[in-house]
Amino acid sequence: MAAGDDECTASVGEITISPVKVQSLPHLTHYLPNLKTFPNPLDRNQFYRPSDGFYISPCDVILRQITYDLSGIFPSPPSHLAYHRAGPRKQIFFDPSMTRVAIVTCGGLCPGLNTVIRELVVGLWELYGVRQIYGIIAGYRGFYSFEPVALNPKLVEDWHKRGGSVLETSRGGFDLEKIVNSIKDHEFDQVYVIGGDGTMRGAVTIFDEICRQKLNVSIAGIPKTVDNDIGIIDRSFGFQTAVEMAQQAISAAYVEAESAVNGIGLVKLMGRSTGHIALHATLSSRDVDCCLIPENEFYLEGIGGLFEFLEQRLKENGHAVLVVAEGAGQDMIPRSDAQKKETDESGNPVFLDVGRWLKSELKSWWDRDHPGELFTIKYIDPMYMVRAVPANATDNLYCTLLAHSAIHGVMAGYTGFVSGPINGNYAYIPIAEVANAKNPVNTMDHKWAWVRSVNNQPDFIKR
């Protein structure tokens, strides 16, 4: 029975809950039906004593949506989507003594990368007895450009204390034929891919080709994006560390602004398409007067504009702190035709520095409207500092759970999936869904309303 065909109904009093539809999850047996199974080695692990309910069954699912409007004003969906719960299964589809594993990190840096690598190695080694574990150097291109590096628990023992990626990472370099040939040549049975949405789209392509060739290889994704722009899952690892580091930059900006006459502290934070870091850092610090994010357009001049707002704040307090996400206001910055076409190695448009542009605009505004008056603006760009630090305690724990969830799923024969929390519970999600899912800040929900209630900034809606 296909997992996606499972449906059930339930009722509470006079309220009927729509059927639950479980999202189908790719499995090696879908194209290799005669695979041999093995008892889970956790049964023999001296540190584990599996009890009733320890092993996850196909009936354990996580609901995608957990809040409902029971008033009947808004129509309910015909069925409610659910995902298979992450965790160990009673039977596994790989012989640990023969299994060969590849781990690769792609894209930009993010706090927690080394923790995920470490926990994959330690989890495979200690929980399942896998001994042939290899790291791929420098992202996707490392499959065909470098020899894999053998990994073991002793080697990765302190990696969680380091920032960056010990395996090194890079953007681009995706060559499907060379990557799949390398997987076959090195006889890898499992491939763990750590990266953002672009990396996940590459993993989808690899998964599709492996399915087409009917290879006994499982692909698992562990989503990484410091600015939390991957959808479906609750959050991506490294995000909370980034918010914590961003607050330090905001605190410095506040000190600089408060210590000057008509002082403005300007902080640019990571967030190409989403403003989650800027939003959460603003809510956490309470020192920010205005938060600018890509999802909320703003303007400078006129009634309700940024200049008018900052002038009022300077009159009231003598200083102000402004936080801007790197993707905010990009359409307002003048650029040449060549700059409009420029892209990075991953194919993303190259953004201009909104912080430097905003600093220049603010200085020109003050010189124009307040000639001869004192004015100071201090610009702080902590972007690379934010992403290069080791993960904090919360993210370290999160990375461990992500890694172990991925291991359990792969050993159970699942493939083409991502492990991640949905509503606080860890689930397996088809990688194609995650690769295409976005997570923009919803400026119509309560969280953005909290930002505006904390700093009383304008909505930037022209009336």
Side-chain angles (χ1 to χ4, degrees):
M1 179 174 60
D5 296 334
D6 297 342
E7 291 194 355
C8 62
T9 57
S11 62
V12 181
E14 298 180 355
I15 300 169
T16 300
I17 299 176
S18 302
V20 172
K21 185 176 181 62
V22 183
Q23 181 65 288
S24 181
L25 191 63
H27 196 278
L28 292 173
T29 56
H30 290 172
Y31 60 86
L32 296 172
N34 299 317
L35 285 180
K36 183 180 179 181
T37 61
F38 304 86
N40 196 315
L42 292 175
D43 284 334
R44 306 186 304 273
N45 192 303
Q46 60 177 322
F47 303 111
Y48 275 81
R49 294 292 182 269
S51 57
D52 292 341
F54 175 80
Y55 290 114
I56 305 299
S57 79
C59 297
D60 292 318
V61 299
I62 307 297
L63 285 176
R64 170 84 177 268
Q65 181 179 338
I66 59 173
T67 57
Y68 297 93
D69 179 4
L70 301 179
S71 67
I73 297 175
F74 300 99
S76 297
S79 64
H80 297 295
L81 187 62
Y83 296 95
H84 287 280
R85 187 179 169 195
R89 268 58 174 176
K90 184 71 174 175
Q91 298 292 318
I92 63 174
F93 285 79
F94 291 95
D95 179 355
S97 66
M98 303 295 292
T99 298
R100 291 174 59 85
V101 173
I103 301 170
V104 62
T105 61
C106 305
L109 298 182
C110 177
L113 272 174
N114 288 324
T115 304
V116 174
I117 298 167
R118 179 194 189 277
E119 297 309 320
L120 285 172
V121 173
V122 174
L124 286 161
W125 192 286
E126 301 291 353
L127 299 179
Y128 286 95
V130 177
R131 294 294 182 263
Q132 300 179 80
I133 308 169
Y134 297 89
I136 306 300
I137 301 298
Y140 277 135
R141 61 171 41 86
F143 276 103
Y144 55 85
S145 299
F146 305 98
E147 278 301 307
V149 177
L151 303 175
N152 59 68
K154 185 66 175 176
L155 180 66
V156 303
E157 183 177 13
D158 65 346
W159 283 19
H160 63 296
K161 300 176 182 179
R162 306 189 201 178
S165 172
V166 178
L167 290 181
E168 301 178 3
T169 185
S170 68
R171 299 186 185 275
F174 186 84
D175 187 313
L176 179 62
E177 182 179 359
K178 290 181 179 180
I179 291 171
V180 174
N181 285 341
S182 175
I183 291 171
K184 292 191 293 185
D185 292 343
H186 289 95
E187 299 181 332
F188 291 134
D189 308 292
Q190 302 178 4
V191 179
Y192 295 88
V193 181
I194 309 165
D197 54 353
T199 301
M200 292 300 114
R201 287 192 290 272
V204 171
T205 309
I206 297 171
F207 163 70
D208 289 340
E209 181 61 20
I210 283 174
C211 290
R212 190 187 69 80
Q213 296 189 28
K214 296 185 177 180
L215 303 178
N216 188 12
V217 179
S218 183
I219 304 290
I222 299 178
K224 171 233 60 167
T225 166
V226 71
D227 44 10
N228 201 35
D229 61 356
I230 288 182
I232 303 179
I233 62 173
D234 293 347
R235 71 178 191 277
S236 52
F237 73 82
F239 172 68
Q240 291 195 337
T241 304
V243 171
E244 187 176 299
M245 293 302 298
Q247 285 187 70
Q248 296 182 23
I250 292 171
S251 296
Y254 177 80
V255 170
E256 290 285 353
E258 189 183 36
S259 301
V261 177
N262 294 322
I264 290 182
L266 172 61
V267 180
K268 184 182 75 171
L269 297 176
M270 298 189 78
R272 290 181 56 86
S273 59
T274 64
H276 290 288
I277 293 179
L279 183 155
H280 282 80
T282 294
L283 286 174
S284 302
S285 74
R286 295 297 197 272
D287 289 330
V288 179
D289 292 277
C290 188
C291 175
L292 304 175
I293 60 174
E295 296 88 345
N296 195 58
E297 294 183 358
F298 67 95
Y299 59 95
L300 303 180
E301 304 276 1
I303 298 174
L306 181 63
F307 292 161
E308 181 189 66
F309 170 75
L310 290 176
E311 179 153 6
Q312 185 63 32
R313 280 297 163 91
L314 291 175
K315 286 181 180 178
E316 294 173 354
N317 303 326
H319 61 270
V321 174
L322 179 62
V323 167
V324 58
E326 62 178 312
Q330 287 295 318
D331 292 340
M332 303 169 64
I333 307 174
R335 65 184 70 202
S336 65
D337 291 339
Q339 287 174 323
K340 293 177 183 178
K341 298 176 182 178
E342 192 176 0
T343 59
D344 63 18
E345 297 91 336
S346 299
N348 302 312
V350 173
F351 283 177
L352 299 183
D353 192 333
V354 65
R356 291 189 181 280
W357 170 78
L358 203 49
K359 177 182 178 181
S360 175
E361 293 294 312
L362 288 168
K363 189 175 185 307
S364 297
W365 156 66
W366 190 265
D367 290 343
R368 182 195 68 199
D369 291 5
H370 302 273
E373 295 185 37
L374 289 175
F375 178 72
T376 299
I377 181 166
K378 298 297 185 184
Y379 173 42
I380 298 175
D381 180 357
M383 285 179 50
Y384 291 102
M385 180 184 75
V386 163
R387 73 176 198 168
V389 298
N392 65 11
T394 302
D395 271 325
N396 262 329
L397 172 60
Y398 181 36
C399 290
T400 301
L401 296 174
L402 285 175
H404 285 201
S405 295
I407 292 169
H408 292 315
V410 168
M411 295 303 294
Y414 292 115
T415 183
F417 74 92
V418 159
S419 61
I422 298 178
N423 302 315
N425 295 284
Y426 288 77
Y428 296 140
I429 311 150
I431 199 167
E433 279 192 54
V434 175
N436 295 311
K438 302 298 181 184
N439 184 34
V441 171
N442 182 1
T443 56
M444 302 301 292
D445 75 356
H446 297 296
K447 194 168 291 184
W448 184 245
W450 293 338
V451 170
R452 297 195 56 232
S453 69
V454 165
N455 57 23
N456 294 313
Q457 73 179 59
D459 56 19
F460 296 112
I461 297 175
K462 291 185 176 181
R463 294 174 174 84

